[in-house]
Amino acid sequence: MAAPNILYTGFTNANAMLHVANCVANAGRIESGESYKFYAEGVTPAVARLYEAINAERVAVAAALGASVPTLADWFDRVYGVREMTLVETCRRLTYNSDGPYQATGTPKSLDHKFITEDVPTGLIPMSALGAAAGVGTPAIDALIEVVRSMTGKDFAAGGRTLEHLGIGGMDTTQIRRVVDEGFS
């Protein structure tokens, strides 16, 4: 089945939700060279609460732009057929089950890893920017972006998918939707 539009596909990509928060929360482990099961051991109850906060903002921004996207729990269920009582239990099952797709997910060796260097500028930055354009606050996403900037010393917005870089800077939600649905005219 074809996706309704690029808003749906962009806001359904879970990488920015899953990778960045886990890396920030486990930065000490990563920088010390500790190998851990990224999802099964890296997603603690506190990390799951952060997942829920940024996920709620993602879903709200998408809705403000007219895109109905699955929650993170719904996404796990839809993609992998797994939905446990908590995100912690879901991530453990996705890692430890014999057919678990996250068994082989390795631990990043540093914060200079695609889980940060790709997912912040192409995931979190546009979510935050689209939230601002739609009048939807993204305090958890914004805080995560700022923490990553502080930890890495890199301004991911400079080369990220800002609204200006996407050619939709200064547009309101109606104009953004028109571009998404009809293209630039």
Side-chain angles (χ1 to χ4, degrees), residues 83-124:
R83 181 191 296 265
E84 298 298 326
M85 292 297 293
T86 68
L87 287 175
V88 172
E89 293 167 358
T90 298
C91 288
R92 286 184 180 147
R93 182 170 170 204
L94 289 167
T95 301
Y96 291 134
N97 273 18
S98 61
D99 63 345
Y102 291 166
Q103 291 179 60
T105 303
T107 305
K109 301 297 182 213
S110 76
L111 295 179
D112 188 26
H113 185 274
K114 69 181 181 176
F115 286 178
I116 298 287
T117 62
E118 291 178 14
D119 292 337
V120 173
T122 65
L124 296 182

Side-chain angles (χ1 to χ4, degrees), residues 8-176:
Y8 180 85
T9 56
F11 279 105
T12 301
N13 181 341
N15 288 347
M17 300 291 98
L18 300 171
H19 297 159
V20 181
N22 189 317
C23 285
V24 167
N26 290 285
R29 296 169 96 173
I30 292 169
E31 290 188 319
S32 71
E34 180 183 337
S35 182
Y36 66 96
K37 302 246 181 239
F38 190 75
Y39 293 102
E41 297 170 359
V43 180
T44 64
V47 174
R49 285 190 297 276
L50 182 54
Y51 277 1
E52 293 287 359
I54 59 180
N55 175 66
E57 293 172 4
R58 172 188 66 87
V59 170
V61 172
L65 291 165
S68 177
V69 298
T71 65
L72 195 52
D74 290 340
W75 182 85
F76 280 128
D77 191 20
R78 183 179 297 172
V79 173
Y80 301 116
V82 174
R83 181 191 296 265
E84 298 298 326
M85 292 297 293
T86 68
L87 287 175
V88 172
E89 293 167 358
T90 298
C91 288
R92 286 184 180 147
R93 182 170 170 204
L94 289 167
T95 301
Y96 291 134
N97 273 18
S98 61
D99 63 345
Y102 291 166
Q103 291 179 60
T105 303
T107 305
K109 301 297 182 213
S110 76
L111 295 179
D112 188 26
H113 185 274
K114 69 181 181 176
F115 286 178
I116 298 287
T117 62
E118 291 178 14
D119 292 337
V120 173
T122 65
L124 296 182
I125 295 289
M127 281 183 217
S128 173
L130 287 165
V136 176
T138 56
I141 291 172
D142 296 343
L144 194 53
I145 292 168
E146 181 58 25
V147 168
V148 170
R149 188 198 61 74
S150 296
M151 291 175 82
T152 64
K154 295 180 182 176
D155 179 8
F156 291 101
R161 291 186 179 157
T162 62
L163 299 187
E164 289 72 23
H165 286 132
L166 294 171
I168 56 174
M171 292 185 183
D172 63 21
T173 55
T174 302
Q175 294 166 317
I176 292 169

